[in-house]
Structure formats: C-alpha cells, structure tokens
Amino acid sequence: MIEALDAFQTIRQPGEIITLPHRWSDDDGWKDHAMRPKPRADGGAADDRVGRFDTPQYQSEDDRVAAEANLAAGECPGCVFLAEPAI
C-alpha cells in the first residue's frame, strides 16, 4: 500500500506504470483456474457463475425508485446504463 501511495509523488505522466516486485504466487498456475467453469466428469464445463441480465436488477422496489430518481437528477454516474440510448 505504501508503494502505491508513493507513486503519487513519483509518477510524472498519465498512463505511467510502475512495476512492483510483489507476486501473488510463486508460479502462475492459479491463472489457469481463475474465472473459468469447473470441468464436469463428461468433459463439459459446469458453469456455476451467477447469471447476467440485460436489464438492471434491484434488491427492492425502493432501490429501483432511488436509482431512477438519482439518474433523473444527474446525481448517479454509475446509473448511466439506465438512460435511454440515443437514436
């Protein structure tokens, strides 16, 4: 964390990258399993990830109303996907 904060003082150009010597693991084998469906016995893949939707999903009706109100007031940059597409 300290090295990341130090970058505020050392980085001089937008997009500049500092490569740190830290590693997640001694080898990259973990990458072979990250975000991939688990194999089934028949050779197929059992995709146990949560399904995705084309429309916003809310925990409650109150959440939907609040998100739409924020969008209408221009206060919710994260809700841009609710806006009607420009034609």
Side-chain angles (χ1 to χ4, degrees):
M1 178 58 90
I2 291 172
E3 290 169 328
L5 293 172
D6 284 344
F8 285 112
Q9 294 180 333
T10 58
I11 291 178
R12 299 289 176 232
Q13 297 179 45
E16 184 176 340
I17 297 173
I18 296 174
T19 302
L20 299 176
H22 311 293
R23 295 198 34 96
W24 177 261
S25 177
D26 290 335
D27 64 46
D28 290 335
W30 64 272
K31 293 180 183 179
D32 294 334
H33 304 289
M35 299 300 291
R36 297 210 175 114
K38 297 176 178 80
R40 293 188 316 231
D42 66 3
D47 191 350
D48 60 357
R49 295 174 290 180
V50 175
R52 302 292 185 223
F53 300 93
D54 291 334
T55 57
Q57 303 296 301
Y58 302 98
Q59 290 184 357
S60 69
E61 180 64 12
D62 289 343
D63 287 347
R64 182 192 65 75
V65 170
E68 290 178 356
N70 282 344
L71 177 65
E75 297 176 2
C76 186
C79 297
V80 294
F81 60 87
L82 293 175
E84 292 295 323
I87 297 176

